[in-house]
Amino acid sequence: MGSLSGQKEGDGLILALSGGGVRGFAHLGALRVMRDAGIKIAGLSGSSAGAYAAASYAFGLPLEVKPLLEHVINRKLSDLFMQSSGRLRRLAKMPASLYRALRDPAIDDAQQLREGLLEYFGEVRIEESPLPLALNAADLYTGEVVILREGLLVDAILASSAIPGIFPPVPWGERLLVDGDVVEKVPVTAARSLGPNPVVGVDASNPLRVHKPRNSLEVLLMASEASILRLKALALQRCDYVLSLVPPEQIDTFDYSRSCSVYRLGIERTEAALEDLRALSKQRGSLFGWLKQVTEGRKS
C-alpha cells in the first residue's frame, strides 16, 4: 500500500468518504494519490459508494476502476436510471419494475451485487481490517446513524449502500439498515469515532441542480435532495479539511460510462491538494477535542 516510512506514530489522517454512486470511483483516484505520495492514513470511514472505496484501501485491494467495476456493475439499473431527469418516466415504461416497486421493498434484490462483492472482498470481517475501518448506515426505524465496526464486510457494505427503494434494507440485529447517505452523506460521525486524528471529508456529491419542478413527484425528489444537502453541509462543518471531488456537472448514480472520468477527477483534485494534506497529516488532535467531537456527533 505504498511506503509510509518517516511518519510518526499517531500522525495521519482519518478519511470520511461520501456516497455518490458511480462518482465514488473518484475516491479510488484520491486514495491512489495519497498512497503513492506516502500520506499516512490512520483510519477510514465510508458511506454508500465511499464504503466500497474505504474497504478497498483498508484491505489492500487495487485502487483502480476496472477490478471493482467488474464486480459491482448492474446493467439493469444502469439502463433504468441512466438519465436523472427521466427516472420516473423510465420506471413507468417498465411495467415489471413498476410492479415490483409496488409489491416488494426494492426494485433489485441485491443478490447479484452480493455475489460480486464476495468474489472481490471474500468473507473477511470488518474487525479484521489492517486499518481502523467504520462503515456508515442508517437505521430505517429510528433514523439514527449506525456505525458498523464488526461483522461480515460484504454485508456491511450492502447495508451502507442499500439505496431505499432500489436495494432491500439489510437486517442487522434488531435494526433494519439502509444507505448511510440518508442520515449523513459524508460519514464524519463514523470517522470521529476512530480517533483524534484530523478528519478529511471527501465529498463526491453531485453539484447543485437548480430547476423548476415539472410535477409533484419531482417536488418530492427535490425535497429529499435538499434534505440530504443540508445534512451534508452540517457534516462537513465538523471536518478539519474538505476535499471536494464534486464533478462540474451532474453524473447519475448508475452511469457507469463515467467511471474512468470521475476516477481521473479524483486524481487531479487530490494532487492539487497534496501540500495541504501533507501538512494536515502531521498534526495531532487533542484527546479532549476528540471526545467533544464524538459526543456532539452522537447528539446530532
Side-chain angles (χ1 to χ4, degrees):
M1 290 176 56
S3 173
L4 298 177
S5 61
Q7 297 281 2
K8 296 179 181 179
E9 187 68 27
D11 291 348
L13 304 174
I14 295 176
L15 305 182
L17 307 181
S18 78
V22 164
R23 298 183 304 280
F25 283 101
H27 290 315
L28 291 181
L31 290 169
R32 173 184 159 185
V33 171
M34 292 186 210
R35 178 201 63 191
D36 293 350
I39 292 177
K40 183 175 181 181
I41 305 301
L44 300 107
S45 67
S47 181
S48 199
Y52 291 78
S56 294
Y57 186 97
F59 283 93
L61 293 170
L63 301 178
E64 305 289 342
V65 172
K66 187 176 179 180
L68 180 59
L69 181 62
E70 289 178 343
H71 289 86
V72 302
I73 193 167
N74 188 316
R75 294 296 183 190
K76 181 181 72 174
L77 293 177
S78 180
D79 292 342
L80 184 60
F81 295 120
M82 183 63 79
Q83 299 297 326
S84 296
S85 61
R87 289 178 182 175
L88 297 173
R89 192 178 304 113
R90 285 174 179 269
L91 184 61
K93 289 180 178 180
M94 298 181 68
S97 295
L98 181 59
Y99 175 72
R100 181 163 190 171
L102 296 174
R103 182 195 64 187
D104 298 332
I107 293 174
D108 190 278
D109 62 12
Q111 187 57 40
Q112 176 188 334
L113 177 58
R114 190 175 193 277
E115 292 172 358
L117 290 175
L118 281 171
E119 289 179 4
Y120 191 66
F121 289 105
E123 296 189 3
V124 298
R125 297 178 63 83
I126 304 172
E127 60 267 31
E128 295 171 350
S129 170
L131 286 173
L133 176 65
L135 304 187
N136 191 52
D139 189 323
L140 188 61
Y141 295 134
T142 66
E144 293 176 283
V145 173
V146 179
I147 301 172
L148 304 176
R149 297 289 307 276
E150 297 179 344
L152 191 65
L153 177 65
V154 164
D155 288 341
I157 292 175
L158 288 173
S160 181
S161 59
I163 303 172
I166 306 299
F167 297 119
V170 176
W172 201 278
E174 296 182 356
R175 296 182 183 274
L176 193 61
L177 302 184
V178 294
D179 196 306
D181 286 10
V182 170
V183 287
E184 195 173 62
K185 191 171 185 67
V186 183
V188 180
T189 299
R192 289 291 179 192
S193 75
L194 296 175
N197 301 60
V199 169
V200 176
V202 189
D203 179 19
S205 305
N206 257 328
L208 181 64
R209 179 179 57 173
V210 179
H211 71 284
K212 187 175 181 179
R214 291 168 293 185
N215 52 55
S216 60
L217 292 176
E218 281 199 351
V219 172
L220 290 173
L221 288 173
M222 290 176 67
S224 175
E225 291 172 356
S227 176
I228 290 175
L229 184 66
R230 175 59 178 162
L231 290 172
K232 184 187 80 169
L234 291 172
L236 291 178
Q237 289 175 6
R238 298 171 52 223
C239 295
D240 296 290
Y241 186 86
V242 176
L243 176 59
S244 175
L245 306 184
V246 176
E249 60 185 13
Q250 292 254 331
I251 297 176
D252 191 78
T253 298
F254 297 105
D255 188 355
Y256 298 108
S257 69
R258 307 295 295 275
S259 303
C260 290
S261 65
V262 296
Y263 180 75
R264 290 192 296 271
L265 182 144
I267 290 174
E268 293 166 2
R269 296 277 180 86
T270 309
E271 286 177 339
L274 272 179
E275 185 176 344
D276 291 341
L277 294 172
R278 284 196 183 99
L280 189 64
S281 70
K282 297 177 182 178
Q283 296 180 15
R284 299 190 185 190
S286 69
L287 181 61
F288 175 79
W290 173 56
L291 291 173
K292 184 173 183 290
Q293 286 275 6
V294 171
T295 303
E296 289 177 350
R298 287 174 179 169
K299 289 180 179 178
S300 62

